[in-house]
């Protein structure tokens, strides 16, 4: 070790005498190591780290599989059967997230509430750090109200009250005692700030209404496969007993059990792994660049190394010296890379999409530092051995000869191979970024079917009855509140139009609820839901679609065109015959070559109001479920006739050419006057849509940054080899010029070398990209993974950069004086 430390000190002194080389190598390594560490911190925090619960591998989610293969949340009666009859789960619970207005703290706030059934906290293995979970009298229908709050809500709105016995919160007009505070960092479901008992609201009776999510814990010693077989058996038993009385399309056929960790990251796994693959390619490009620099430096030191060998230094001694130099470079690059990664990690929250789960775990922790140290040591060993291998290939006599200053042919070939590898890897990164860029441009250019510009969104939550379904009186109260709010908002100076919608198209994660409706075709409407269910068994008399609660002003504010018939109007009041508008795609699907206006349908199963709907108009399609998904079949109903259908979190959209700051204070004051306990969130629709696009924009941003960095490194690599080639061939160039070679001949000679390297690298990169890009097909929209235009543009761009990098040293060759060149060495 004393000899190694001596070599290490010598290595530092040697590198300090060539600061340009050392700085370039260290900065290049820092870029590769720092970017890799930063992205690995995201992969580790989101994908690799175990969930923060006891024995997280036992946590599973439970789903229903319907006849057409669609996966759905368990219906309440089916969930109760799963819970009572299974033999493989130690506990099974149901949960759902709803937005609610909460008052009683320091100020009213609108936040997400988790409705959870008994054993929810038992499944997760987490208890409140203050207070307790729900007691038996709070876990029954119409039982005692109680609420558990998050640590952040307790600190921010309750002042960290030590005595919870006097703390009361109001939700939906009911006073809830705060019985517990969850530990700091507990965040399940994601974004929930308080938890209330599911049982107080009662269990549903329909086996085709899918409201909550199933969460379970495997018994000790039980495998996932055993749990799947167990719940599959129960599902088939339920289907055999009740399937003939329900519509088969929405009735369960089987059950599905999946690890909770996979469910939490399922939507982002492909994107993160793609990013990690991209950063590893960048890391390899950086290593190849440094290897090329070391190769050039080692070749330039051939005489020095030969003299050492002549004086008795063995091969092992020389290898150790070169390893010490590469270790010094790698350690400096790794240290600077950690600083870069720490800085990047602090910036990540500003660009990470809010939908990315488990963001709180993203940090430079021990696992990330271990990854960084391992990468640094691997780079040091690989670069040192590579330099030693190339140095060992030189003969002692050749190295000590007078003309030994020039490169050897083997050294030049090795450096050329590294540059070709750089170009191939860079092309793969550029193709990936190009495909994501084209996909993103295609996505943002999609016409959503409405105009989101100058559209302001007001989100709020209205009280709903805690005991039983909505009554007619509840609907009237909600309708009156919305009528008053709308009329006053429309009167705000600068507001052109305003309307109500139960969900924001595209921007709301849950969107409009979907279901089965009846097409009456002249038949009388069902008088009860048993009759409704029997009629729904006939597939020729049913249709599927999303149900949207809106007002007439919504279509004008959103700019949704009327194709046929009319919009809702003032005559469509609570006591008038119920009417509906349908989307153009639904009209074409169910009433081809005929006018659907005047047809009657029944969508009573969605809101419990047994009244048929008369279609009075057809409106344009909107991509309500996402720009990357086709426009769904939509049935619009008027909130004044049907209420909000159990949805207590509508939104008012208003169109105004004035800036939001000119409208928001007045609108907020209106709501405060109507009900000070109903807080309102304001955003523009463009901002709301930006949240939906955040994940795609984040992936494109980082992939583009990596591709740009790799392109710069590749350009430096090409410039370096051509510049050294010009130096090596100085005498040759002088002879050519002396014999009559023109400037164009010299230019063609030098640039041609770079062009050959670029052509080989591009061909190899294209071949590899054809295979690799197939893995990212799920991330693309309306663009094939083998899109020829992207490949062509990237190949041309990389070739132009290579030619430019070759042209710079070529110009230096053109300025050579033949006489000086002939006396070279």
């Amino acid at each position: 070790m004393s000899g190694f430390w001596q070599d290490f000190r010598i290595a530092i002194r040697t590198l300090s005498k060539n600061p340009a080389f050392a700085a370039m190598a260290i900065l290049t390594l820092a870029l590769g190591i720092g970017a890799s560490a930063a992205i690995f911190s995201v992969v580790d925090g989101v994908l690799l780290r175990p969930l923060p619960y006891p024995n997280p591998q036992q946590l599973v989610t439970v789903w229903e599989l319907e006849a057409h293969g669609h996966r759905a949340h368990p219906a309440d009666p089916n969930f109760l059967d799963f819970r009572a009859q299974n033999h493989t789960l130690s506990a099974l619970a149901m949960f759902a997230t709803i937005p609610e207005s909460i008052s009683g703290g320091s100020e009213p706030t609108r936040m997400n509430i988790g409705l959870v059934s008994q054993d929810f906290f038992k499944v997760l293995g987490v208890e409140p750090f203050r207070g307790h979970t729900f007691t038996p009298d709070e876990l029954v229908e119409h039982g005692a109200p109680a609420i558990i709050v998050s640590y952040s809500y307790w600190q921010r709105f309750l002042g960290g009250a030590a005595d919870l016995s006097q703390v009361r919160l109001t939700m939906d007009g009911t006073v809830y005692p705060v019985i517990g505070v969850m530990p700091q960092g507990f965040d399940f479901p994601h974004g929930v700030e308080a938890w209330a008992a599911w049982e107080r609201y009662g269990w549903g009776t329909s086996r085709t209404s899918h409201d909550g999510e199933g969460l379970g814990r495997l018994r000790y010693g039980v495998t996932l496969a055993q749990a799947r077989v167990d719940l599959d058996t129960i599902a088939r038993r339920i289907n055999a007993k009740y399937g003939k009385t329900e519509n088969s399309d929405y009735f369960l056929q089987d059950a599905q059990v999946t690890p909770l960790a996979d469910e939490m990251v399922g939507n982002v796994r492909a994107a993160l792994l793609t990013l990690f693959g991209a950063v590893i390619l960048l890391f390899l490009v950086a290593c190849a660049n440094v290897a090329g620099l070391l190769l050039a430096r080692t070749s330039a030191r051939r005489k020095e190394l030969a003299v050492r060998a002549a004086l008795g230094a063995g091969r092992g001694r020389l290898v150790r010296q070169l390893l010490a130099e590469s270790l010094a470079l790698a350690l400096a690059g790794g240290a600077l890379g950690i600083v870069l990664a720490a800085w990047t990690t602090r910036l990540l929250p500003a660009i990470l999409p809010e939908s990315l789960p488990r963001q709180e775990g993203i940090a430079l922790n021990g696992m990330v530092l271990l990854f960084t140290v391992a990468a640094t040591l691997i780079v040091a060993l690989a670069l040192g051995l590579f330099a030693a291998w190339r140095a060992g290939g030189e003969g002692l006599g050749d190295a000590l000869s007078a003309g030994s200053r020039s490169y050897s042919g083997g050294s030049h070939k090795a450096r050329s191979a590294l540059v070709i590898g750089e170009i191939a890897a860079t092309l793969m990164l550029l193709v990936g970024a190009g495909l994501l860029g084209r996909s993103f441009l295609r996505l943002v250019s999609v016409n959503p079917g409405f105009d989101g510009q100058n559209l302001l969104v007001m989100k709020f939550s209205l009280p709903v009855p805690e005991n039983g379904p909505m009554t007619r009186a509840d609907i009237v109260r909600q309708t009156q509140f919305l009528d008053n709010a709308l009329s006053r908002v429309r009167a705000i100076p600068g507001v052109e139009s305003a309307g109500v919608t139960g969900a924001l198209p595209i921007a709301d994660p849950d969107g409009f609820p979907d279901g089965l409706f009846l097409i009456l075709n002249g038949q009388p409407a069902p008088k009860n839901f048993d009759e409704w269910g029997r009629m729904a068994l006939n597939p020729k008399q049913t249709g599927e679609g999303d149900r949207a609660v809106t007002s007439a002003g919504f279509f004008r504010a959103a700019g949704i065109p009327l194709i046929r018939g009319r919009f809702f109007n003032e005559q469509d009041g609570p006591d008038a015959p119920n009417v509906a508008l349908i989307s153009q795609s639904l009209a074409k699907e169910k009433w081809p070559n005929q006018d659907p206006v005047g047809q009657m349908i029944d969508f009573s199963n969605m809101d419990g109001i047994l009244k048929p709907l008369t279609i009075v108009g057809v409106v344009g399609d909107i991509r309500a479920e996402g720009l990357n998904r086709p426009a769904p079949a939509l049935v619009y109903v008027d909130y004044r006739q049907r209420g909000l259908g159990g949805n207590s979190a509508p939104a008012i959209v208003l169109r105004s050419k004035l800036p939001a700051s000119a409208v928001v204070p007045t609108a907020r004051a209106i709501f405060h006057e109507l009900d000070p306990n109903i807080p309102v969130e304001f955003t523009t629709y463009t901002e709301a849509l930006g949240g939906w696009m955040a994940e795609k924009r984040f992936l494109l941003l980082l992939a583009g940054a990596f591709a740009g960095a790799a392109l710069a490194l590749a350009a430096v690599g090409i410039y370096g080899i051509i510049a050294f080639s010009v130096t090596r061939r100085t005498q040759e160039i002088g002879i050519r010029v002396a014999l009559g070679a023109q400037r164009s001949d010299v230019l063609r000679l030098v640039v041609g070398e770079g062009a050959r390297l670029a052509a080989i690298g591009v061909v190899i990169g294209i071949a590899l990209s054809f295979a690799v890009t197939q893995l990212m097909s799920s991330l693309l929209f309306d663009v094939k993974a083998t899109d020829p235009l992207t490949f062509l543009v990237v190949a041309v761009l990389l070739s132009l950069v290579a030619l430019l990098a070759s042209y710079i040293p070529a110009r230096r060759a053109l300025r050579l004086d033949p006489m000086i060149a002939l006396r070279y060495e």
Side-chain angles (χ1 to χ4, degrees), residues 278-299:
V279 80
I280 292 299
L281 276 178
L282 175 63
F283 179 64
L284 293 177
V285 170
C287 290
N289 222 318
V290 176
L293 291 173
L294 280 174
L295 184 58
R297 175 174 165 77
T298 302
S299 297

Side-chain angles (χ1 to χ4, degrees), residues 639-779:
Y639 79 90
R640 295 174 302 160
Q641 295 185 327
R642 313 289 294 203
L644 294 173
N647 175 17
S648 63
I652 290 179
V653 293
L654 56 92
R655 180 167 299 281
S656 174
K657 292 183 180 179
L658 297 177
S661 57
V663 178
V664 168
T666 306
R668 192 184 299 278
I670 289 172
F671 267 77
H672 186 76
E673 291 174 11
L674 292 173
D675 190 335
N677 292 320
I678 298 181
V680 186
E681 296 176 2
F682 290 88
T683 184
T684 65
Y685 185 81
T686 302
E687 293 170 344
L689 186 60
W692 181 82
M693 299 283 286
E695 181 181 321
K696 302 166 183 62
R697 188 166 48 244
F698 167 72
L699 182 63
L700 173 61
L701 176 65
L702 288 189
F706 296 154
L711 184 62
L713 290 176
V716 170
I718 295 171
Y719 169 81
I721 191 171
I722 301 303
F724 276 99
S725 177
V726 168
T727 302
R728 179 176 65 88
R729 304 173 70 177
T730 297
Q731 196 172 50
E732 174 195 344
I733 293 173
I735 294 173
R736 287 176 179 271
V737 173
L739 293 176
Q742 301 299 313
R743 291 172 59 89
S744 59
D745 298 322
V746 176
L747 188 66
R748 188 164 49 251
L749 174 71
V750 176
V751 175
E753 184 177 2
R756 284 191 297 273
L757 295 178
I760 297 172
V762 166
V763 170
I764 295 174
I766 288 176
L768 293 174
S769 297
F770 268 113
V772 173
T773 52
Q774 299 296 329
L775 301 176
M776 57 184 294
S777 297
S778 62
L779 303 175

Side-chain angles (χ1 to χ4, degrees), residues 305-558:
L305 296 175
V307 170
R308 287 174 179 266
L311 293 177
R315 188 176 180 86
R317 183 70 177 77
L318 294 178
V319 169
R320 196 174 69 190
Q321 178 63 49
L322 293 173
L323 280 174
E325 292 182 12
S326 66
L327 179 62
L329 289 174
L331 289 177
L336 186 58
I338 290 176
V339 174
L340 179 63
W343 176 72
T344 305
T345 305
R346 283 196 295 270
L347 292 180
L348 278 176
I351 61 174
L352 285 173
E354 292 184 6
S355 60
L356 185 70
R358 307 185 66 193
Q359 294 190 31
E360 67 281 355
I362 299 174
L364 282 183
N365 52 36
M367 181 62 72
V368 178
L369 292 177
L370 180 63
F371 168 84
T372 308
V373 171
T376 301
L377 293 179
I378 290 173
V379 166
L381 183 63
L383 292 178
L385 291 177
F386 177 76
W389 171 64
R390 291 308 313 163
E394 305 292 346
L396 180 62
D398 292 339
L400 292 173
S401 65
S404 65
R405 184 175 176 180
S406 62
Y407 268 149
S408 69
S411 174
H412 185 64
K413 290 179 180 178
R415 188 167 169 81
S416 297
L418 288 172
V419 171
I420 290 171
E422 280 187 68
I423 293 172
T426 300
L427 186 136
M428 293 169 65
L429 281 172
L430 286 171
V431 166
L435 289 173
L436 290 172
R438 289 206 69 198
S439 176
F440 189 80
L441 290 176
R442 292 280 183 91
L443 196 62
V444 298
S445 64
V446 169
N447 180 9
F450 56 89
D451 182 9
Q453 297 296 320
N454 301 320
L455 203 61
L456 185 65
V457 179
M458 306 164 56
K459 285 188 173 183
F460 51 93
S461 297
L462 296 177
V464 296
E466 65 166 279
N467 298 325
M470 293 279 289
T471 65
R472 188 63 197 173
D474 297 321
I475 294 176
V476 169
R477 278 194 295 271
Q478 285 189 346
T479 300
Q480 290 175 345
F481 181 90
L482 292 174
D483 286 345
N484 291 336
L486 269 179
S487 62
R488 297 183 64 177
V489 165
R490 288 195 190 102
I492 298 176
V495 173
E496 299 172 1
S497 56
V500 171
T501 178
L504 283 180
I506 302 175
D508 273 354
D510 295 328
F512 297 113
D514 64 331
L516 203 68
F517 61 86
L518 301 179
I519 302 173
L520 297 181
N521 288 330
Q523 298 182 48
K527 297 179 175 59
N528 52 59
F529 285 106
D530 289 337
E531 185 179 350
W532 197 102
R534 288 192 295 272
M535 295 176 68
L537 294 175
N538 180 6
K540 295 181 179 180
Q541 199 174 346
T542 60
E544 293 184 52
D546 291 1
R547 177 181 175 279
V549 177
T550 60
S551 68
F554 168 72
F555 301 97
R556 299 186 181 93

Side-chain angles (χ1 to χ4, degrees), residues 446-448 450 505-506 621-632 781:
V446 169
N447 180 9
F450 56 89
I506 302 175
D621 287 332
I622 64 172
R623 292 181 180 253
E625 297 173 350
L627 293 176
N628 56 345
R629 300 187 63 182
F781 170 74

